[in-house]
Amino acid sequence: MRPLLRRFLPALCSAAARALPARRAVPMALRSAEGAERAGGDARSAVGAAPELDGLENVQQKKIFKEKKEKAQQREEPCAADSIDCLMAEMPFVDTDIEDECTMNATSELSIKKKRKKTTGREIDEGMERKKKKNKQYQPNYFISLPITNPKITGDIQAVQDAIIQKDQRLSKAMVRSGSLHVTMLVMHLSSEEEISIAVGALSDSKVFVDDLLKGKRVDLSFQGIDHFRNQVGFVNLAENEHTTLLKEIAETMKKIFQEKGIMAGEERAFKPHLTFMKLSKSTELRKEVKKIDSSLYEDFKNHYFGDEILHRFDLCSMLKKKQPNGYYYCESSIVFGEKQAAEPDDAELVSLSKRLVENAVLKAVQQYLEETQNKSRQTDGSPAKTEEAASGSKNESDKDNSK
């Protein structure tokens, strides 16, 4: 406190000192006259009373006069302008050391800054961990699938995959099985069975809106040409036409329906329908070996026409649950619409039906063959034919004995 007061008080004291001479001029003159009169009066009284007063009384009077004079001087003459200590003595908190206070505050601020620096890295790490947990919590684990069932499309994609693998065997781990080929309409995160049931209901509700958009029209999705996403994913393009535009409207409608049900569905980026046939993310080991897919590997198929898929079904599929034996995803629910629900089987259904018929025929033939072989074995071991031969042999022997 003292150093701070020493800094500001000199200016105040100098201003007060300049005002003091004017104040002192008149009183000092009056005090001189009063002093002279007092001296004269004292002299006269001293002369007149000399015989009566003794030396002790004179000493006491002088002492009293001296004390009065000192008190008058203290009242009339304050501290000098340069006497800062005198003025500071009258200030409050004079014993407080402001330097110590400021030093303590500065030390505490420095310690707080150091603590902040120490914890800054930890706060960043905790923030990253919270972000990762949040991303993991809302990472998609379900999707709406448009399955690809046209044998021409799946067969041509298989040909492309084989051609790529011949050039780079490592990419065999990146290929999507023909049974899993689909177009993703919508992705979402479902964290409980309750949310799954809500999503099933949302898919069922969307059927009415999809039928209203289709209005009985047949939607032919034409697949032509190959493209990629940052050389990490290879896919077949959908040709841009009115059918593709209608498919985008359906995807947007379904997204709104799911979100109204409280399902975190959809992505921020615009919907781009595509048919993925290879991706590096299928294998972590592969991503260490191959950083990018060389587009020259599928150069010969870059503008290839793969075929058309008739839109007829949407499935709610799980990304994590075990796939079906044919390679397709685990399906929670489906909606069927358009021409395919009118009992007209498509090519894929005809192929599967013919396979089942062939398998049944083969099984019947095998069963018939087994039955025939079993019958033959019975005949050789103890069949009626063998007993007849034994009977005829015994009869001949008896006839010979009779003749003898």
Side-chain angles (χ1 to χ4, degrees):
M1 195 71 165
R2 290 177 181 273
L4 187 63
L5 293 173
R6 288 177 184 275
R7 193 179 301 172
F8 295 104
L9 284 177
L12 297 173
C13 292
S14 61
R18 286 194 297 270
L20 282 175
R23 180 174 173 271
R24 287 176 179 175
V26 174
M28 288 298 292
L30 294 172
R31 281 196 296 272
S32 60
E34 291 176 357
E37 290 178 357
R38 286 178 184 175
D42 292 339
R44 287 191 297 270
S45 62
V47 173
E52 298 176 357
L53 297 174
D54 56 4
L56 184 59
E57 292 178 354
N58 291 333
V59 172
Q60 290 177 350
Q61 289 179 356
K62 287 179 180 180
K63 188 176 180 180
I64 294 169
F65 178 77
K66 188 176 180 179
E67 290 176 356
K68 290 181 179 180
K69 186 176 180 181
E70 289 176 357
K71 289 180 181 180
Q73 286 179 356
Q74 288 178 0
R75 288 195 302 269
E76 293 173 0
E77 294 182 4
C79 298
D82 57 350
S83 182
I84 297 173
D85 293 335
C86 181
L87 292 173
M88 286 177 60
E90 300 177 4
M91 299 297 291
F93 310 108
V94 66
D95 296 328
T96 305
D97 192 348
I98 196 168
E99 290 183 356
D100 293 339
E101 294 292 331
C102 293
T103 304
M104 289 175 64
N105 292 336
T107 305
S108 61
E109 289 178 1
L110 288 173
S111 63
I112 291 170
K113 288 180 180 179
K114 287 181 180 178
K115 288 180 181 178
R116 285 178 180 173
K117 287 181 181 178
K118 288 180 181 178
T119 57
T120 298
R122 186 169 59 195
E123 288 174 357
I124 292 172
D125 294 339
E126 290 176 356
M128 291 294 290
E129 289 178 1
R130 285 195 297 270
K131 189 174 181 180
K132 286 180 181 179
K133 288 181 181 179
K134 185 176 180 181
N135 291 337
K136 188 175 182 180
Q137 185 179 0
Y138 293 102
Q139 187 175 0
N141 57 355
Y142 277 82
F143 66 101
I144 301 299
S145 168
L146 190 165
I148 302 300
T149 58
N150 187 347
K152 183 183 185 316
I153 297 176
T154 58
D156 287 5
I157 288 177
Q158 184 66 54
V160 175
Q161 292 174 336
D162 293 340
I164 293 173
I165 293 172
Q166 287 179 359
K167 297 177 182 179
D168 192 342
Q169 186 67 31
R170 299 174 300 175
L171 294 176
S172 61
K173 299 177 182 178
M175 299 304 171
V176 178
R177 291 179 59 183
S178 59
S180 301
L181 294 174
H182 68 280
V183 175
T184 301
M185 298 292 294
L186 191 66
V187 295
M188 66 196 73
H189 178 85
L190 305 177
S191 59
S192 63
E193 292 295 329
E194 182 181 358
E195 290 187 354
I196 293 173
S197 63
I198 293 172
V200 170
L203 179 63
S204 178
D205 293 344
S206 63
K207 183 182 184 305
V208 178
F209 295 92
V210 172
D211 286 335
D212 185 57
L213 288 172
L214 293 176
K215 295 178 180 178
K217 296 179 183 178
R218 170 173 166 167
V219 179
D220 291 329
L221 302 174
S222 181
F223 292 87
Q224 183 172 4
I226 295 178
D227 205 347
H228 64 86
F229 291 132
R230 296 173 298 187
N231 294 106
Q232 302 290 313
V233 177
F235 61 89
V236 178
N237 274 317
L238 267 76
E240 289 292 339
N241 50 39
E242 59 180 2
H243 298 279
T244 307
T245 303
L246 183 58
L247 183 68
K248 292 178 180 179
E249 292 180 7
I250 292 172
E252 189 64 27
T253 301
M254 295 180 72
K255 178 181 176 181
K256 291 179 180 178
I257 293 171
F258 275 79
Q259 289 179 350
E260 288 175 357
K261 295 282 186 178
I263 301 296
M264 298 295 295
E267 296 178 296
E268 294 180 357
R269 59 188 177 185
F271 172 64
K272 179 179 173 59
H274 60 279
L275 174 55
T276 300
F277 66 90
M278 66 181 300
K279 52 185 177 180
L280 297 180
S281 61
K282 283 182 66 66
S283 173
T284 54
E285 296 178 358
L286 179 62
R287 296 192 72 172
K288 295 177 182 178
E289 299 176 7
V290 181
K291 301 299 181 182
K292 291 184 178 181
I293 300 172
D294 187 2
S295 59
S296 63
L297 297 174
Y298 49 83
E299 186 68 29
D300 297 337
F301 299 89
K302 211 150 194 182
N303 298 314
H304 178 75
Y305 171 71
F306 290 85
D308 291 356
E309 178 73 28
I310 299 173
L311 177 63
H312 76 286
R313 193 179 88 217
F314 287 137
D315 301 323
L316 175 61
C317 298
S318 171
M319 298 180 185
L320 305 178
K321 292 182 179 180
K322 187 177 179 180
K323 291 184 178 180
Q324 300 178 29
N326 62 354
Y328 192 63
Y329 297 88
Y330 180 88
C331 184
E332 298 283 355
S333 179
S334 302
I335 56 172
V336 180
F337 41 81
E339 296 181 357
K340 287 294 183 71
Q341 63 181 346
E344 289 187 8
D346 59 5
D347 294 336
E349 291 174 352
L350 291 174
V351 170
S352 63
L353 180 61
S354 62
K355 286 181 179 179
R356 287 196 297 271
L357 291 174
V358 171
E359 290 174 356
N360 292 334
V362 171
L363 287 173
K364 287 182 179 180
V366 171
Q367 289 176 356
Q368 186 176 358
Y369 173 76
L370 291 173
E371 289 176 357
E372 291 176 356
T373 54
Q374 287 177 359
N375 291 333
K376 287 181 181 180
S377 63
R378 288 174 184 173
Q379 289 177 0
T380 55
D381 294 339
S383 60
K386 190 171 182 179
T387 56
E388 288 177 2
E389 289 178 0
S392 62
S394 62
K395 184 177 180 181
N396 292 333
E397 289 177 0
S398 63
D399 291 338
K400 286 180 182 180
D401 292 338
N402 293 329
S403 61
K404 286 179 180 180

